Amino acid sequence: MLSRAYTKSRKSIKEGEQSKSGSIHDYEDCLVGFNGDLPLISCGSGTNRGVRMTMKEVLRSSVGVMGESRLGLTDKVVLLKGDMFAVKRFRKLRVRRSEFGKRVERLAHFSTLCEYLVPITAYLYAKRIKFVLCDYYPMGSLADLLAGGRRLGHTALNWKQRLKILLDIARAISFIHSECPPNERNMQMNVHGNIKPSNVMINIDFSARLSDHGFTQLAKHIEVSDVQCQQKPPPLLENFYSEDLSQKSDIFNFGLVIIDVVAGSRFPAGFRKRSLDEIKEGAIGHCFEFAVEGRERRRALQVLDIALACTNPLPEARPSIQQILLSLGNACHN
């Protein structure tokens, strides 16, 4: 791994060009012939705050790609001292260097104010690579947990764990949507913009933290090549997620997350073609991929009803996040 850090890659990645490979070592030519090193700019947040890192150290410490989206890729980085981070590296930015730094630092400060958001530790803006360093969670993302269980044909999470995760996501969204002032430094601070299971990180106690807040305002969406898509099957409902930057789109996407968590692969692809009444009457059969009976089944149906309200085709008819939190709380106690 270390020897590769001094080996020039076969093809240089030009600024703004989409990476052809899933490895952070596509950027190894950043290191060749570079006498000094670039320090990462610390944001003073995260569990490893105060740790000083450089570009070389991070590039050499990547141990693999954890996820991929149209914004970029996420790598797991393990430093020599054992500190672990997630590196969010962007394919193509929307903003210039000075604006990038201002926005990341604002988002990093914001992440320290809510226990349900993933902290941002540091960032780097170099000629060929731009990335943000975030806290790492050994349990991985919600998407990984759900997909892993489905691949192996077993239930990765029980009903109580799923409900706890949904509540934590809703609390994170509530904190974001209540931000005042809503706009700062040319950014919409009161909108997340990219809520989906792959951006929900899970702690060992099955609490959840929402990541990537504001990242859609840092980087552009780039179409991922067919080769990259073949590396991992697309998540359930992936094509339904909205990319509009608004609170109502956040609510819609959270509704899709609820459907994935509560019903998953058992929910029909045309998720609005059948009503909740049909599910309750048994027309669809077993709509949950986890064992649930009696009172818990009634609660699960209540939560699924919330999801259908969130994914209403009319944005103005969708509930606010405060209404959703109230409904989830009622589902916990009914």
Side-chain angles (χ1 to χ4, degrees), residues 102-148:
K102 290 176 183 177
R103 293 190 181 195
V104 172
E105 289 174 9
R106 177 67 187 110
L107 292 170
H109 172 71
F110 190 79
S111 71
T112 65
L113 304 177
C114 178
E115 62 180 303
Y116 302 108
L117 293 177
V118 171
I120 297 174
T121 300
Y123 66 92
L124 177 81
Y125 187 109
K127 184 176 180 180
R128 296 187 181 95
I129 184 169
K130 291 88 178 167
F131 61 75
V132 170
L133 213 68
C134 301
D135 277 8
Y136 172 77
Y137 297 85
M139 294 287 286
S141 71
L142 174 61
D144 292 335
L145 281 178
L146 294 174

Side-chain angles (χ1 to χ4, degrees), residues 38-59:
L38 290 177
L40 271 63
I41 300 176
S42 174
C43 296
S45 61
T47 56
N48 294 287
R49 67 187 66 185
V51 177
R52 294 184 179 181
M53 290 162 285
T54 66
M55 179 183 71
K56 286 184 179 180
E57 185 178 11
V58 171
L59 293 181

